[in-house]
Amino acid sequence: MNTRRMDLNLLVTLEALLIEQNVTRAAARLHLSQPAVSAQLSRLRDVFDDPLLIPAQRGMTPTVKALELLGPLRQALDQVRATVATHLNFEPATASLTVSVACTDYVQAALIKHLVVAMRSEAPGVRIALRTLDMSQLEPQMARGDVDVALANLQGAPQGLRSRHLFDESYVLIGRRGHPTLREGLGVEAFARLEHIVVSLRGGGFATSVDKAMEALGHRRNVVLSASSFLLVPELVEQSDCVALVPRRLVDNRGGQLVRVEPPLSVEGFTIGMMWHERSHGHAGFKWVREFITRAVDCQPTGREGSGHIAQSP
């Protein structure tokens, strides 16, 4: 058989003819004219080198070859229909999908745990693969399909990616419960004397935009530790007299070992958003995942909204 002469429409017509065993009824089933179906039957007879349907007293009778074709043909077409339906209509309760999510450690701590727990109840067949965010490589990673969704500060997001705002984040000053000097209404001078932990995403930095603002006020902050990740900071604060300015959502759901107070000076916040590539934009499964992430974020308690963008912690 010359398969180059075959197309899916011919197979769909053959299925209808074998089921109806009547050209007129098959044409009505396919929403085609009777001459069009007759012409396709002629092509099918040529392709399979068999009459397929023989005129009978009432309708038409399938040949032996036609009867052999019916079972495998319906199975193949049903599989095609199911594949198409899966991409058009995503059923989270029964679907299987693996989603690669690139994000920072802050997003993992503040959002991913809540997201995964919530998703397990709605879509148990959806698996999440967490990847370290590399903004410089994000667009080619998404183009290759290595990353499906990125959750990060939208500042510096590649122009070729689609994006959606998720939430605005602000900073809160944390210290251990029972800290000897930390209290609400702390002044800038007392704030400067505290032992501070800062997060330097590039590593090793002891000064941030907050320190520049304090120098303008005539004060210098006592920074005793520069960490490369937010994840260790709350535990360090709980076990020492150190304090830290951290994103509010990082400590929203922690236990009662931390004291949270508003900083004595304005601290610029940042925006977290979702990014994805055009290649997965129309996929029903990934579309559902993006909508689920948006809903999951909206269901989380939020702190005071911040503004602007940052590159590291204050």
Side-chain angles (χ1 to χ4, degrees):
M1 181 187 297
N2 186 356
T3 56
R4 289 179 297 179
R5 301 169 58 192
M6 179 65 67
D7 62 48
L8 186 60
N9 289 329
L10 282 179
L11 296 179
V12 173
T13 297
L14 177 58
E15 179 191 39
L17 285 166
L18 294 179
I19 292 172
E20 298 293 348
Q21 298 183 14
N22 181 285
V23 173
T24 302
R25 290 198 299 269
R29 183 187 186 101
L30 296 168
H31 304 288
L32 297 174
S33 67
Q34 184 174 336
V37 173
S38 295
Q40 290 189 16
L41 176 57
S42 177
R43 291 179 61 191
L44 284 162
R45 285 168 170 166
D46 186 35
V47 168
F48 287 100
D49 192 23
D50 188 87
L52 298 175
L53 291 158
I54 302 171
Q57 184 175 1
R58 293 183 178 180
M60 307 181 82
T61 299
T63 65
V64 173
K65 178 174 285 189
L67 292 174
E68 290 176 347
L69 288 170
L70 181 58
L73 176 64
R74 298 201 72 177
Q75 183 178 3
L77 289 176
D78 284 346
Q79 185 173 359
V80 171
R81 294 183 187 110
T83 300
V84 173
T86 298
H87 288 277
L88 293 176
N89 302 294
F90 184 77
E91 297 295 337
T94 57
S96 296
L97 182 69
T98 298
V99 184
S100 179
V101 179
C103 57
T104 63
D105 59 352
Y106 154 69
V107 172
Q108 289 188 35
L111 179 59
I112 293 298
K113 178 180 178 181
H114 167 73
L115 178 68
V116 170
V117 171
M119 187 174 287
R120 295 304 302 157
S121 63
E122 289 193 35
V126 174
R127 303 187 304 174
I128 296 179
L130 295 179
R131 295 178 62 107
T132 301
L133 178 71
D134 183 348
M135 194 69 82
S136 66
Q137 295 298 313
L138 184 58
E139 189 168 5
Q141 286 175 338
M142 287 189 159
R144 293 193 303 267
D146 295 337
V147 174
D148 302 307
V149 177
L151 304 173
N153 189 335
L154 289 178
Q155 183 183 26
Q159 294 297 315
L161 299 179
R162 288 179 174 264
S163 63
R164 178 186 301 170
H165 172 273
L166 291 177
F167 61 89
D168 295 322
E169 179 63 291
S170 59
Y171 282 92
V172 64
L173 181 63
I174 62 170
R176 68 172 177 85
R177 185 164 297 281
H179 191 286
T181 57
L182 183 63
R183 65 185 185 280
E184 197 67 64
L186 193 71
V188 174
E189 185 176 351
F191 171 77
R193 289 197 299 266
L194 295 170
E195 297 180 340
H196 291 263
I197 298 173
V198 299
V199 173
S200 173
L201 300 183
R202 295 181 179 179
F206 285 87
T208 72
S209 59
V210 169
D211 295 280
K212 293 179 181 178
M214 292 190 67
E215 286 180 6
L217 297 173
H219 297 283
R220 183 174 181 179
R221 191 165 53 152
N222 179 26
V223 178
V224 299
L225 174 66
S226 173
S228 61
S229 168
F230 278 112
L231 299 187
L232 185 62
V233 174
E235 283 77 8
L236 287 172
V237 168
E238 286 178 349
Q239 299 175 37
S240 69
D241 285 340
C242 293
V243 299
L245 284 165
V246 298
R248 196 173 298 269
R249 287 186 182 232
L250 185 67
V251 293
D252 268 346
N253 299 314
R254 293 187 69 90
Q257 297 304 310
L258 289 176
V259 174
R260 303 161 181 80
V261 302
E262 295 301 321
L265 71 167
S266 177
V267 179
E268 195 174 39
F270 59 98
T271 296
I272 290 294
M274 175 166 48
M275 291 163 278
W276 67 96
H277 196 273
E278 193 68 34
R279 70 186 298 277
S280 64
H281 179 68
H283 188 283
F286 292 121
K287 181 180 179 181
W288 180 88
V289 169
R290 294 192 299 268
E291 292 172 348
F292 182 88
I293 290 172
T294 302
R295 287 189 286 117
V297 170
D298 290 342
C299 289
Q300 276 194 310
T302 59
R304 182 188 58 172
E305 291 190 346
S307 61
H309 304 283
I310 60 165
Q312 59 186 1
S313 84

